[in-house]
Amino acid sequence: MTNAELALLSLLTEAPRHGYELEQLIRERGMSNWTEISLSSIYFVLGKLVKKGMADASIQPGIEGRPNRKVFSITRDGFAALKQGVIKALRVPELGGQSFLIALSCQPLLTDAELDSALRARTQALTSLIEDISMNPASSDLRT
């Protein structure tokens, strides 16, 4: 699951939303500083989520002469995939850490046991990485 998919699904867990509303939330919450999502990609990613069965789309009638809006909501499969993605992002260290930041913002979706397990696995993975680097400093170029 991409970081953009994680971010949008996490926002859809709060309430059904249309694309412009999602863009506003991303901007207001400063998520554009740590996610790879822009206004131009929001509808593209939402379309992918609908095709994958992770989100539903419905038409909401416009109010006071405004145009109709397509409103997106998370599905049961989408919620399950989001949870799996959050756990994986918490467990597995990655260069850049964007998915980790998204996962941290989603931690209320997890039980205490799931969060504890994921963070313990991350600690073990980071400890192993540190040991590997300590034993072989020549291969420690993490910028690639």
Side-chain angles (χ1 to χ4, degrees):
M1 177 173 300
T2 68
N3 291 339
E5 290 170 333
L6 279 175
L8 290 177
L9 285 174
S10 73
L11 294 173
L12 293 177
T13 63
E14 298 172 7
R17 303 184 188 279
H18 54 81
Y20 181 70
E21 186 179 7
L22 288 164
E23 191 270 334
Q24 284 180 307
L25 284 172
I26 289 166
R27 194 171 351 111
E28 287 171 7
R29 296 180 184 182
M31 292 173 71
S32 55
N33 296 328
W34 46 271
T35 60
E36 302 160 343
I37 192 163
S38 64
L39 177 58
S40 61
S41 64
I42 289 174
Y43 283 102
F44 174 75
V45 174
L46 288 169
K48 282 177 38 179
L49 291 171
V50 169
K51 284 180 186 173
K52 291 179 179 181
M54 294 183 196
D56 283 328
S58 60
I59 301 298
Q60 181 183 56
I63 300 171
E64 298 177 10
R66 298 188 121 187
N68 293 344
R69 294 192 177 218
K70 189 180 277 192
V71 176
F72 298 87
S73 57
I74 192 167
T75 63
R76 193 172 290 168
D77 287 346
F79 187 79
L82 173 63
K83 239 179 133 171
Q84 280 182 332
V86 167
I87 290 170
K88 180 181 178 189
L90 289 173
R91 292 177 63 92
V92 181
E94 68 168 21
L95 193 59
Q98 286 186 337
S99 61
F100 180 70
L101 294 174
I102 295 168
L104 284 178
S105 74
C106 295
Q107 64 179 319
L109 303 176
L110 305 178
T111 65
D112 289 344
E114 289 170 326
L115 181 60
D116 182 62
S117 174
L119 291 176
R120 285 183 188 278
R122 183 180 192 82
T123 300
Q124 289 174 339
L126 289 171
T127 300
S128 293
L129 181 61
I130 291 167
E131 288 171 0
D132 290 347
I133 291 170
S134 297
M135 296 173 104
N136 189 3
S139 68
S140 66
D141 187 6
L142 295 178
R143 293 171 281 166
T144 57

